[in-house]
Amino acid sequence: MSISSEKGSSTILIVDDNPADVRLIKEAFFEIGKSPELMAVHSGNDAMAFLRRTGKWANATRPDLIILDIGLPGVQGGDVLSMIKSDSSLLTIPVIMFTNSSNTDDIITSYSNHANGYIVKPISFEDYIVTIRAIEAFWLQTVTLPN
Amino acid sequence: MSMFLTRDRLNILIIEDNEGDIRLIEEAFQELDRTLSLNVVVNGEDAISYLKKEGQWSAALRPDIILLDLNLPGIGGGEVLSYIKKDKNLRAIPVIILSNSSRNEDIAASYQACASCYIVKPLTFQDYINMMKVIEQFWFNTVILPN
């Protein structure tokens, strides 16, 4: 099924303050038999510290893909997106918005700020599996990611 | 399969000068079980005219998503991408780069210019079909596209 060659272990940064949603993402990857390295942070400030390798994230791996919630404590996901896409050293990392919001303004603003996709969080675990399978097949098997 | 509303009349703009590739893309899309509106322009000048709704494209529909080749006669695909992503009315439209090039420079430049993603063209028709199914599952069934 794979179009491009199977990548080695990819790293995905999950930015989500809801531990249950992080767990569902991780369990869905397990369920489809794929095991990218999954890192999670729970706030916008921590996301930027991770990406800029400051403080306790000095040795953090640069992620191949970011899954970003919008409703975060402190710095909001939309602001995190803007910071990533206006930072020349980070802007090439694809960012998929993953949110409870289906608000049209959030959708348009995210794409206008160069989100690489916008997904409304599924309700059931079964739908999480469908969503994570689509993300994995597209971003980790089909697309050529930047180095 | 999809947990979201299925979009039956997505409008796709294909910017591609190679007749063989256009045919493969169109035929692979036809293998999908959905009705799509496929519009093709064969060079960068026509792509920009289409998006500006100039001349023969005055009644053109705004694309929901764009497939863009890099190697085009005249205005290149990279310039078309930059034009789209700098225009406040167009920049929210996702642009999938579909190119023969696997050069790191082309991949990095495309992500830096805010392409949604970069795909190296498949070699066989079966791989085109596989690619379109993965594109469909992510972009048409999972993601919420900007309206």
Side-chain angles (χ1 to χ4, degrees), chain A residues 111 116 118 120 139 143-144, chain B residues 4 111-112 116 118 138 143-144:
Chain A
Y111 281 107
N116 301 72
Y118 188 105
V120 175
W139 288 100
V143 157
T144 302
Chain B
F4 300 117
Y111 282 104
Q112 276 159 7
S116 294
Y118 190 106
F138 182 76
V143 152
I144 309 282

Side-chain angles (χ1 to χ4, degrees), chain B:
Chain B
M1 280 293 287
S2 172
M3 70 217 78
F4 300 117
L5 184 69
T6 302
R7 294 163 161 267
D8 279 334
R9 259 295 180 187
L10 282 176
N11 189 40
I12 299 170
L13 177 61
I14 299 160
I15 307 171
E16 171 65 71
D17 65 317
N18 183 305
E19 282 182 26
D21 289 341
I22 293 168
R23 191 165 167 178
L24 286 168
I25 293 167
E26 288 182 329
E27 290 186 0
F29 271 126
Q30 283 161 14
E31 294 285 319
L32 305 180
D33 186 23
R34 69 170 62 227
T35 310
L36 298 165
S37 170
L38 302 179
N39 302 280
V40 179
V41 293
V42 295
N43 60 56
E45 286 83 352
D46 284 357
I48 289 172
S49 294
Y50 179 104
L51 292 164
K52 285 179 166 174
K53 299 186 177 183
E54 289 177 341
Q56 64 175 294
W57 290 285
S58 61
L61 294 171
R62 178 184 171 88
D64 292 296
I65 196 161
I66 296 171
L67 296 189
L68 173 61
D69 187 20
L70 286 184
N71 186 20
L72 297 170
I75 298 176
E79 290 172 77
V80 174
L81 174 63
S82 294
Y83 173 82
I84 294 167
K85 294 302 172 183
K86 284 177 183 160
D87 184 304
K88 65 179 169 54
N89 294 317
L90 299 174
R91 66 179 178 173
I93 303 171
V95 178
I96 299 176
I97 303 294
L98 189 59
S99 170
N100 283 319
S101 168
S102 51
R103 293 174 65 235
N104 285 337
E105 294 89 335
D106 287 333
I107 297 162
S110 296
Y111 282 104
Q112 276 159 7
C114 298
S116 294
C117 55
Y118 190 106
I119 299 176
V120 177
K121 285 179 184 171
L123 296 179
T124 69
F125 182 56
Q126 186 57 50
D127 281 344
Y128 262 93
I129 293 173
N130 293 343
M131 174 186 74
M132 286 310 173
K133 285 181 178 166
V134 175
I135 288 175
E136 175 189 40
Q137 192 57 27
F138 182 76
W139 285 105
F140 307 164
N141 292 344
T142 303
V143 152
I144 309 282
L145 289 166
N147 286 323

